[in-house]
Amino acid sequence: MKNILLVIFIFFGSVTMLSAAKFQTKIEPLAGEKWYGAYTAQAWPNTPLNKIQFQPFEANFEKTDLATENLGNQAAPFLLSNMGRYVWSDEPFAFEFKNGILILHSDAEKINAVNAGKTLREAYRAASQKHFPASGKTPNPLMFKIPQYNTWIELGTNQNQQDVMKYAENVLKNNFPPGVFMIDDIWQKYYGNFEFDAAKFHDPKGMVDSLHAEGFRVMLWVTPFISADSKEFRFLEKNGGLVMNTQTNSPVLIKWWNGYSACLDLSKNFAFSWLKKNLKSLQDLYSIDGFKFDAADFHFYTDYPTNTSGNLQSELYAKLGTEFGFNEFRACWKMGNQPLAQRLQDKAYSWDDLNLLIPDMISAGLIGHPFTCPDMIGGGLIQTFENIDYNKFDQELMIRSAQLQALMPMMQFSVAPWRVLDKKHLTLCRNVALLHAKMGDYILALAKQAAKDGEPIIRHMEYVFPHEGFETCKNQYMLGDEYLVAPMINKERRREVKLPKGKWIDERGKKYKGGKTVTIDVPLSRLPYFKLQK
């Protein structure tokens, strides 16, 4: 989560300093062809909007390497076009665009474009069926039906039983629905240890039982990092369970957002089984429902001469996550259409970063992750909510952020709305949470369908309505094939909505004939969405 604070790679404008790849493929563009995929994230948080190259990729896009960069989020060796073509490789590759020509660089194989049809949807369906088919499973249904609450913004690294219970009590006191409750960094004694810190959690089993009784489900934050010179470190080093520095033949101490730590080598059966055993033990001892699997970004492993790759470690980490119905991942390699709850990387509390949520969610779906949660409402950067000047705090942004998440597969609170909002705005925020719960059955039905056919839940307009001029649309989306959602992503009170061909009715009951752009009023209390009439 907090890796964004210590980002050492700049995605746009960076060139991976590697020797020339063994295989290069140049793919000439078709008329009107646009390419999407590879990454969920469009940019790092706080990147000015005018500096972001949103997908689809532009005609000139600088070389980026999937072996070393995941932009703090999900990535896959997969590109697809609105003209029905796609490229896939089981191994990471680098790619760039020069004057519209897609250039692929691979050390594993020569990668060719596959002609799968004439639309974005046909390209996606063909690729997913062959390379990342639907698993038949979803994360636990409650991940979709009710809001999620994460303690990071309110508690930071001071996770403790008293404040955890206070947060949960305030959820109910303020008439928000109970939901999935994530206890974040750091609840244990130290990293790599799986015992509650007794100084901060005097009765963890009683705490979990109380949360369950109030209608919550409980998840714990974990990472693959191991504090150096701990008993776990010595045990894992002795048994070959740590990522090794190939030059010194000693465990690598990886720099991450909380300092320096050793790291599990999940390609070793011993390490994989050890982590799985400890997580299952937490469930048995404390009735923990699941885990938030943080970290596993590629650059943690490629910054050093190691005996492994970030792609492999990230993929194996996610494979472990499929063992748990309640799970969450922010960084991931491949693993498309597996029963994993993915989440967007942390965003800043800004209107610019709010503009990233729809494009990122669409991109997540297009690389095979239908079960995705936007970032925490308001963003996941803790410094944004420290030492707030309440006379200047933009409460409207909080409401628009909540509205944007309401009709997405999942929605997650972290900053406590009752701390930063006045009564008027808190009511609006609560109404949005209740709307998500109200739509929970429909959203869950889409998730179950995605588990069968592998299609995204949040869909690009071009995906559902091909060749109607939606190739670059990034401020509205489809929830399944039935609902067009057009949230406000700026401080205005009016916006344009481009309606595809057909008959539509909005959430207020007003009817529209599609195939044109309409201008609508959007007061702060409104989340506009339109239903396609059969």
Side-chain angles (χ1 to χ4, degrees):
M1 174 195 287
K2 283 68 70 178
N3 67 308
I4 299 164
L5 304 178
L6 291 172
V7 170
I8 59 175
F9 284 108
I10 303 296
F11 173 61
F12 297 107
S14 70
V15 178
T16 306
M17 300 301 179
L18 297 174
S19 58
K22 293 180 181 178
F23 303 96
Q24 184 183 96
T25 305
K26 292 185 178 181
I27 301 174
E28 296 283 344
L30 302 175
E33 188 168 34
K34 303 290 185 181
W35 286 89
Y36 311 77
Y39 296 106
T40 285
Q42 314 292 300
W44 290 105
N46 284 320
T47 303
L49 282 180
N50 62 0
K51 301 293 185 181
I52 297 174
Q53 293 190 35
F54 286 97
Q55 292 187 31
F57 297 103
E58 296 182 2
N60 290 288
F61 182 84
E62 295 192 19
K63 185 178 179 182
T64 182
D65 194 341
L66 287 162
T68 59
E69 183 59 87
N70 62 298
L71 277 177
N73 245 164
Q74 302 78 26
F78 176 45
L79 294 164
L80 68 168
S81 92
N82 65 320
M83 301 303 290
R85 299 199 292 177
Y86 76 86
V87 296
W88 172 275
S89 176
D90 289 329
E91 301 299 326
F93 57 83
F95 69 96
E96 59 187 314
F97 287 86
K98 289 186 177 180
N99 298 320
I101 299 171
L102 170 58
I103 306 173
L104 306 170
H105 308 266
S106 172
D107 286 327
E109 61 179 332
K110 184 169 180 62
I111 308 169
N112 295 309
V114 176
N115 293 311
K118 297 181 179 180
T119 68
L120 186 64
R121 191 172 205 156
E122 288 172 328
Y124 176 86
R125 287 178 62 88
S128 65
Q129 289 167 10
K130 184 173 182 179
H131 300 290
F132 46 99
S135 70
K137 300 178 180 178
T138 72
N140 190 285
L142 292 179
M143 299 284 286
F144 304 95
K145 295 188 66 172
I146 53 181
Q148 302 168 13
Y149 303 91
N150 184 292
T151 60
W152 168 241
I153 296 296
E154 292 303 306
L155 305 188
T157 55
N158 184 32
Q159 304 291 315
N160 65 88
Q161 184 168 337
Q162 180 178 348
D163 288 333
V164 164
M165 293 304 299
K166 182 178 178 181
Y167 190 124
E169 290 166 5
N170 279 325
V171 169
L172 303 178
K173 179 181 177 181
N174 286 280
N175 296 315
F176 281 71
V180 178
F181 201 86
M182 301 180 187
I183 300 175
D184 213 276
D185 172 19
I186 174 177
W187 53 270
Q188 63 267 65
K189 293 180 178 180
Y190 46 84
Y191 302 114
N193 176 267
F194 294 93
E195 302 171 28
F196 278 91
D197 185 346
K200 298 193 293 183
F201 293 88
H202 64 275
D203 181 14
K205 182 62 166 64
M207 175 189 69
V208 175
D209 288 345
S210 295
L211 289 170
H212 282 164
E214 292 173 341
F216 294 95
R217 295 295 180 268
V218 182
M219 297 172 64
L220 295 178
W221 175 92
V222 296
T223 74
F225 296 119
I226 309 294
S227 292
D229 201 29
S230 62
K231 63 179 181 179
E232 290 83 1
F233 173 91
R234 291 187 288 273
F235 177 72
L236 289 161
E237 181 185 26
K238 179 180 178 180
N239 288 280
L242 298 175
V243 173
M244 301 295 287
N245 185 313
T246 55
Q247 294 181 354
T248 64
N249 198 32
S250 60
V252 173
L253 292 184
I254 292 174
K255 184 178 182 181
W256 61 298
W257 60 83
N258 279 338
Y260 291 84
S261 299
C263 188
L264 287 170
D265 184 351
L266 296 173
S267 68
K268 304 296 177 61
N269 288 334
F270 181 85
F272 190 96
S273 298
W274 180 84
L275 180 55
K276 177 180 175 180
K277 179 181 177 181
N278 277 286
L279 298 182
K280 294 289 187 180
S281 178
L282 283 167
Q283 291 188 308
D284 293 339
L285 290 173
Y286 303 108
S287 300
I288 298 298
D289 296 291
F291 300 94
K292 172 182 175 177
F293 294 87
D294 208 352
D297 297 273
F298 303 170
H299 69 79
F300 288 141
Y301 307 89
T302 57
D303 286 352
Y304 309 90
T306 67
N307 59 337
T308 188
S309 73
N311 305 79
L312 176 61
Q313 294 297 322
S314 185
E315 185 176 4
L316 291 171
Y317 198 38
K319 286 183 177 178
L320 176 61
T322 63
E323 299 272 346
F324 305 91
F326 287 94
N327 65 71
E328 183 192 271
F329 286 81
R330 175 190 51 76
C332 191
W333 173 245
K334 297 199 293 191
M335 295 299 287
N337 283 323
Q338 293 300 303
L340 300 171
Q342 304 286 349
R343 182 177 65 82
L344 300 188
Q345 63 160 311
D346 300 328
K347 301 291 190 289
Y349 190 69
S350 71
W351 290 100
D352 277 3
D353 272 21
L354 189 67
N355 278 262
L356 293 173
L357 292 180
I358 294 176
D360 283 5
M361 287 293 291
I362 288 170
S363 295
L366 286 178
I367 62 172
H369 296 299
F371 314 126
T372 302
C373 178
D375 186 29
M376 301 165 184
I377 292 169
L381 300 186
I382 192 169
Q383 64 269 28
T384 302
F385 299 102
E386 296 176 329
N387 304 313
I388 292 175
D389 182 345
Y390 290 98
N391 292 319
K392 298 180 180 180
F393 184 75
D394 189 347
Q395 298 189 57
E396 290 186 13
L397 176 56
M398 186 74 177
I399 303 308
R400 294 305 194 191
S401 177
Q403 288 173 345
L404 194 148
Q405 294 205 22
L407 295 181
M408 288 188 169
M410 305 174 194
M411 70 182 305
Q412 185 176 125
F413 291 94
S414 189
V415 64
W418 43 89
R419 174 168 72 90
V420 298
L421 299 178
D422 60 26
K423 184 177 180 180
K424 170 189 171 183
H425 290 88
L426 182 60
T427 297
L428 295 175
C429 190
R430 181 190 304 112
N431 290 343
V432 172
L434 294 173
L435 172 62
H436 180 83
K438 178 182 177 181
M439 293 289 288
D441 287 336
Y442 176 75
I443 292 172
L444 178 58
L446 290 176
K448 290 180 177 179
Q449 186 62 37
K452 296 177 181 178
D453 60 26
E455 293 205 74
I457 296 174
I458 299 301
R459 299 174 182 173
H460 200 297
M461 296 297 300
E462 177 69 19
Y463 187 93
V464 182
F465 301 99
H467 311 311
E468 290 191 30
F470 290 107
E471 297 91 346
T472 61
C473 182
K474 59 180 183 293
N475 65 358
Q476 60 187 62
Y477 64 90
M478 294 299 297
L479 177 62
D481 282 344
E482 191 173 355
Y483 287 97
L484 186 162
V485 188
M488 284 300 299
I489 52 177
N490 55 48
K491 289 183 71 69
E492 302 299 323
R493 291 292 191 272
R494 303 190 81 196
R495 66 157 290 167
E496 291 185 343
V497 180
K498 185 174 181 179
L499 295 173
K501 297 175 183 177
K503 297 180 179 179
W504 298 85
I505 183 170
D506 70 17
E507 84 287 357
R508 294 177 167 182
K510 184 176 180 179
K511 296 180 180 180
Y512 300 82
K513 182 180 179 180
K516 60 183 178 181
T517 298
V518 299
T519 300
I520 61 172
D521 293 321
V522 191
L524 189 59
S525 60
R526 184 183 185 191
L527 168 60
Y529 56 96
F530 303 76
K531 187 175 183 180
L532 181 62
Q533 301 297 286
K534 304 297 184 181

